[in-house]
Amino acid sequence: MYIALTISLLASNRTASLERCLDSIKPLLVKIPCELIIVLTNTDADVKKIAENYTPQLIPFKWCNDFSAARNIGLKSAQGEWFLYIDDDEWFDDVDEICQFFLSGEYRHYNSAHYIQRNYQNWEGTKYSDFSAFRMIKRISASHFRGEIHEELTPRIAPCKYFQTFVHHYGYVTDSANSPKAFRNIPMLLQSIERHPKQVKNYIQIAKEFGLEGNWKAAEKYCRIGLDICQKSKDSYSMGWLQAYLAYLTGKAPGKAQAIQEIINILNEESPSELVRLILYQQLIYLYFEAQESEQVVRYGWKFENLLDEMDSQAYLWKEQSYGEFCENYVKNPERLFGTRAACVASALELQEQKSAAYFLKRFPWDTEEILGRYYSDFEKWKTKYAAPYVQILFEILQDIMISFNISEVSCIYKYPDIQIPIYLLLQKSLDSLSKEINTDGLNLFIYCILHTDNAFLQQQLFKEGIRHQINVMPLAEKMDLDTWNICTAKAIKELSYDLNNQLHICEAELHEKYYLHSLCLKRHRLEQKLNKGFLRWPKLIETLEEYCLCTLDFYRGLYRKDLLCEERIGLLPCEIRFSMTALNALEKLKQEKMAEAVRLFGDGIHIYPDMTGIITEVFRQTARRMDNPMLHAGNEFFQLAEKIKETLKILMDANQTSQASEILAQLLPLMPEDLELIWTNQELIRRAKLCAYS
């Protein structure tokens, strides 16, 4: 049996997207002589079950951190004249162009082909970039994959066909300067410099003016001239400002190596003051951090902290060495100071230098949540990336704070309501306890955290962890107004895995009676997550979209007077409810098979609420597939006859009468292109034909 195309797919553990991926290639499997090979890179039973519905050609592969090795297994087993590979988190928008490529015979004139990978930057489907991906070749003996990651199919032989069809890919989902202004001071300063070429102050001022204008090259030019004058006149005071400002300016240029070397030269050759050295150390830490040179970040982090302690022990130095904005407040500006320490913590953790990481982290303002809260997102990144070592440091800090308050056990905090222990640390202690087993101390501490913080980031963390650990979050809803709850749950659910959608459903039920609107609000976000991340197929996609729209209407009915929800005032309503009204109308037209009206209304819906672009696009795709499906327009007699023919097919297959089975299948499959049983049978016939060819 001739096979025009082999489709090879790596299947990992993404059950939801795998089914959508396989569903999108059905037309290829039906319309052209095509085989499907699925390489299983894990042992997930659900993945295997889904894969078995589409093809008998399943190849188990023990994962070894080598994508090419896995790809080459599929390539080696391929029998198609052409070879196409796809990932299980991608799905085609439409494959008609590829079908026509083979059906028209155009494939005979090419040796390779590209299709487009549309990489989305958000789950709403509104932000994406297109990438032309080399994913198809006419197989030759030398064909193979190379590269352990971002594998490449080689050789790539011309001529190459560039398809406009694309796959959806959500795998990479979670200041512009002002126009230059002519400052009036610059012409005046230039005149003054012409008259007084050795007056350093003019160079300081003009460098600053050009810097404010964003003209970094001009600012650097006058900074260097000023430094040269200072060296000749031995004006160390003015030199300090110019050295610090030059370090700032060089950091603005592209590429960090030159800026780093500039600062090193100043430190080694020009003996800057303690204050200037602190500023230069800070700048070096940022530059090395951007350059991902962790050892240097930690090295200069220690230098900075030691010198900072020295300056604080000799407070007069701050005043003696300050010049303009370069002063104690500049160095200790919270954003700059703790940004420096954050870079040092991250670099020390990267180097597995736990002692250094603990030292820098302990120097955060653990008694000031207003400042500390700015770094909670960084803390969570470190917790995710470095896990146990980072959490151990947090517990050390918590222990130090407890000792300072003469508290022996965390549970004692209830006895000392005036003592302010950072909620972030208490939350980590609670989660550590809950990760081992659900216990009273862990639960009580978790509720304590809910009751004692108004920080938005922590509230989102508490909500997420409450869902993960199946803890009733009623106390969180009790202390939040509806707007705060809406923002909190929307952000948290976007970060939650789709696997927790059922837990969110349980949470809705718990809130329903006492906090009905909070429950509806949560349901809206849960259904939106289900629509975006659930990779739903028809009819579940349509059912869930309708449920989302009805829920949105119920939510806003609880907020607005009835007369505001009439058709005449729809333009005054929020975009979510206007979208829901429009989408419900479109869904009704869809049920009535009035496709033109449905498409127009869905188009209006996207314009009203662009966040639903990805969902409506998928509705369009699946609707178009159904319109072309002959089964949907057939009567009961057709299905009764089809079932009898399928029974005959089964008998022929059991008797290994593959030739007769092939003839029947060739007539029935185009009439029932969505029938997985027939697709499987077709793949089984291909497999048997290959076995016969080998024998």
Side-chain angles (χ1 to χ4, degrees):
M1 178 183 288
Y2 171 69
I3 302 173
L5 175 67
T6 296
I7 302 174
S8 181
L9 167 70
L10 290 190
S12 55
N13 60 352
R14 295 180 281 234
T15 53
S17 60
L18 171 62
E19 194 158 12
R20 184 177 282 184
C21 172
L22 290 168
D23 181 65
S24 76
I25 63 172
K26 272 185 186 177
L28 286 171
L29 301 177
V30 171
K31 294 180 180 180
I32 63 175
C34 181
E35 69 170 344
L36 171 63
I37 296 172
I38 300 178
V39 180
L40 300 170
T41 61
N42 73 5
T43 56
D44 188 289
D46 290 336
V47 169
K48 187 177 180 183
K49 185 177 179 180
I50 293 169
E52 285 175 338
N53 286 331
Y54 286 82
T55 180
Q57 299 195 80
L58 308 181
I59 304 175
F61 177 79
K62 186 175 181 180
W63 185 245
C64 58
N65 294 323
D66 187 336
F67 280 92
S68 283
R71 296 286 190 198
N72 282 325
I73 291 293
L75 180 58
K76 185 177 179 180
S77 302
Q79 294 297 307
E81 182 178 350
W82 278 73
F83 179 86
L84 178 155
Y85 71 100
I86 188 171
D87 287 330
D88 62 352
D89 64 344
E90 302 172 333
W91 62 94
F92 280 100
D93 187 72
D94 177 74
V95 293
D96 186 64
E97 187 182 13
I98 297 176
C99 287
Q100 290 304 313
F101 178 70
F102 288 99
L103 293 174
S104 67
E106 186 183 7
Y107 69 95
R108 298 189 184 96
H109 307 298
Y110 293 93
N111 292 311
S112 57
H114 284 225
Y115 60 75
I116 296 168
Q117 184 186 61
R118 178 159 290 178
N119 295 307
Y120 291 90
Q121 298 164 22
N122 61 7
W123 283 107
E124 292 75 22
T126 56
K127 294 182 180 179
Y128 59 82
S129 59
D130 286 345
F131 171 74
S132 181
F134 173 51
R135 293 288 187 87
M136 289 177 62
I137 59 165
K138 183 179 288 186
R139 283 192 316 112
I140 59 174
S141 59
S143 299
H144 69 284
F145 288 89
R146 63 184 180 187
E148 293 181 355
I149 190 168
H150 298 304
E151 66 279 12
E152 180 185 13
L153 182 55
T154 188
R156 185 182 314 196
I157 303 173
C160 182
K161 170 73 175 180
Y162 289 86
F163 292 109
Q164 293 305 304
T165 191
F166 62 90
V167 290
H168 299 277
H169 182 233
Y170 283 78
Y172 296 124
V173 178
T174 178
D175 194 11
S176 60
N178 294 326
S179 299
K181 296 179 180 179
F183 290 93
R184 66 178 183 182
N185 291 348
I186 291 177
M188 296 171 63
L189 285 166
L190 288 171
Q191 291 177 7
S192 183
I193 286 171
E194 190 175 351
R195 290 194 299 268
H196 308 286
K198 295 185 179 180
Q199 193 172 88
V200 175
K201 185 178 179 180
N202 287 333
Y203 294 98
I204 290 174
Q205 291 298 324
I206 199 168
K208 188 186 295 185
E209 294 288 357
F210 276 122
L212 291 171
E213 192 185 44
N215 190 339
W216 313 118
K217 287 187 177 181
E220 182 181 341
K221 169 189 171 183
Y222 286 102
C223 211
R224 292 188 184 281
I225 296 173
L227 276 170
D228 186 57
I229 293 170
C230 286
Q231 287 173 339
K232 292 176 181 176
S233 64
K234 302 190 183 304
D235 182 356
S236 58
Y237 187 64
S238 300
M239 182 181 288
W241 187 95
L242 289 162
Q243 289 170 331
Y245 199 60
L246 182 60
Y248 163 76
L249 292 172
T250 54
K252 294 289 183 181
K256 305 306 173 189
Q258 183 179 345
I260 289 171
Q261 190 56 53
E262 186 80 50
I263 295 172
I264 296 295
N265 290 342
I266 294 173
L267 287 168
N268 292 340
E269 299 172 10
E270 299 182 17
S271 302
S273 66
E274 288 87 349
L275 173 59
V276 173
R277 271 193 286 148
L278 278 175
I279 294 169
L280 297 181
Y281 288 157
Q282 278 186 316
Q283 185 71 1
L284 272 179
I285 289 167
Y286 281 117
L287 291 170
Y288 277 127
F289 187 69
E290 288 184 28
Q292 299 182 350
E293 296 188 36
S294 298
E295 291 184 3
Q296 295 290 6
V297 173
V298 174
R299 177 190 173 201
Y300 281 98
W302 279 101
K303 285 178 175 286
F304 172 81
E305 298 292 354
N306 290 334
L307 183 53
L308 183 62
D309 289 343
E310 183 182 326
M311 288 285 285
D312 284 338
S313 68
Q314 304 177 65
Y316 65 90
L317 291 175
W318 289 113
K319 292 183 179 180
E320 285 185 358
Q321 299 178 8
S322 295
Y323 191 118
E325 68 270 36
F326 296 125
C327 59
E328 181 178 8
N329 289 337
Y330 180 89
V331 174
K332 293 183 177 179
N333 173 282
E335 185 174 348
R336 187 173 293 106
L337 178 61
F338 299 113
T340 299
R341 287 173 178 162
C344 292
V345 173
S347 298
L349 288 169
E350 189 68 29
L351 295 169
Q352 300 181 12
E353 291 186 12
Q354 196 163 329
K355 179 181 176 182
S356 294
Y359 173 77
F360 295 122
L361 195 57
K362 287 178 180 179
R363 301 196 72 150
F364 272 77
W366 292 99
D367 58 343
T368 312
E369 188 175 70
E370 182 182 352
I371 296 175
L372 201 64
R374 302 175 194 176
Y375 299 93
Y376 285 153
S377 59
D378 289 319
F379 293 172
E380 285 303 299
K381 289 176 187 175
W382 301 336
K383 180 183 170 185
T384 301
K385 188 172 183 179
Y386 304 109
Y390 172 70
V391 173
Q392 183 180 335
I393 294 170
L394 292 179
F395 290 167
E396 288 177 16
I397 295 171
L398 177 59
Q399 188 64 33
D400 290 345
I401 294 173
M402 288 167 54
I403 291 172
S404 70
F405 286 119
N406 199 27
I407 299 175
S408 57
E409 295 291 336
V410 175
S411 57
C412 296
I413 61 172
Y414 298 101
K415 301 177 183 178
Y416 306 97
D418 296 333
I419 293 177
Q420 299 297 316
I421 296 179
I423 297 299
Y424 180 79
L425 295 178
L426 296 178
L427 176 57
Q428 307 315 309
K429 190 68 176 176
S430 168
L431 295 177
D432 180 65
S433 177
L434 292 171
S435 67
K436 295 165 184 171
E437 58 178 327
I438 298 294
N439 57 70
T440 303
D441 286 344
L443 284 171
N444 287 341
L445 193 54
F446 190 87
I447 299 302
Y448 179 92
C449 292
I450 288 177
L451 297 176
H452 288 81
T453 185
D454 293 317
N455 180 273
F457 184 88
L458 287 181
Q459 287 177 333
Q460 290 166 34
Q461 297 302 112
L462 286 159
F463 177 82
K464 288 191 292 186
E465 297 300 340
I467 297 300
R468 288 184 180 125
H469 291 89
Q470 299 183 43
I471 299 172
N472 191 321
V473 295
M474 184 83 73
L476 197 59
E478 286 176 349
K479 67 175 298 184
M480 286 188 183
D481 60 61
L482 196 57
D483 282 344
T484 306
W485 174 260
N486 183 36
I487 294 168
C488 174
T489 53
K491 290 183 177 179
I493 290 172
K494 282 186 177 181
E495 296 174 10
L496 283 174
S497 166
Y498 177 66
D499 295 339
L500 297 170
N501 202 268
N502 285 336
Q503 277 92 309
L504 289 168
H505 198 180
I506 293 169
C507 183
E508 289 167 28
E510 293 170 343
L511 292 168
H512 185 269
E513 185 174 346
K514 190 172 181 181
Y515 295 100
Y516 178 64
L517 287 177
H518 286 67
S519 174
L520 283 177
C521 180
L522 179 56
K523 183 178 181 179
R524 284 180 58 239
H525 299 314
R526 177 183 67 82
L527 291 172
E528 194 164 348
Q529 183 203 54
K530 189 174 181 179
L531 286 165
N532 280 315
K533 297 184 181 181
F535 304 109
L536 305 177
R537 295 173 59 206
W538 200 286
K540 201 66 181 176
L541 175 64
I542 298 303
E543 291 172 3
T544 306
L545 178 58
E546 184 174 29
E547 187 181 6
Y548 167 84
C549 294
L550 291 172
C551 173
T552 301
L553 287 179
D554 285 345
F555 177 72
Y556 281 102
R557 282 176 184 138
L559 295 179
Y560 294 113
R561 297 197 318 265
K562 187 176 181 179
D563 61 311
L564 288 175
L565 299 174
C566 62
E567 197 72 31
E568 294 77 16
R569 299 190 177 184
I570 191 171
L572 302 175
L573 299 173
C575 58
E576 294 96 329
I577 190 171
R578 286 188 284 125
F579 168 82
S580 296
M581 289 177 169
T582 305
L584 284 171
N585 287 336
L587 289 170
E588 185 60 32
K589 299 300 181 185
L590 207 58
K591 292 175 185 176
Q592 299 169 5
E593 296 190 2
K594 296 179 179 179
M595 300 309 301
E597 294 180 54
V599 168
R600 178 185 61 78
L601 287 167
F602 276 131
D604 291 343
I606 291 176
H607 179 72
I608 293 168
Y609 194 27
D611 284 357
M612 301 299 280
T613 299
I615 295 163
I616 298 305
T617 301
E618 185 58 23
V619 170
F620 283 158
R621 187 184 75 84
Q622 295 195 28
T623 301
R625 283 275 302 280
R626 288 176 59 79
M627 288 175 64
D628 294 335
N629 186 355
M631 290 174 61
L632 297 179
H633 310 289
N636 289 332
E637 296 82 1
F638 172 82
F639 287 103
Q640 291 171 4
L641 178 61
E643 287 302 316
K644 291 179 181 178
I645 296 174
K646 285 162 72 173
E647 283 296 322
T648 303
L649 265 177
K650 188 175 184 303
I651 294 169
L652 292 172
M653 292 290 288
D654 290 342
N656 204 28
Q657 296 180 22
T658 55
S659 178
Q660 296 92 324
S662 295
E663 290 177 7
I664 294 173
L665 189 63
Q667 298 177 50
L668 186 58
L669 186 55
L671 298 175
M672 302 178 69
E674 298 289 318
D675 193 299
L676 286 179
E677 186 179 352
L678 293 179
I679 288 175
W680 188 94
T681 302
N682 189 39
Q683 293 297 305
E684 176 63 15
L685 285 170
I686 290 172
R687 186 185 71 85
R688 292 185 186 184
K690 286 168 62 176
L691 290 175
C692 290
Y694 287 139
S695 60

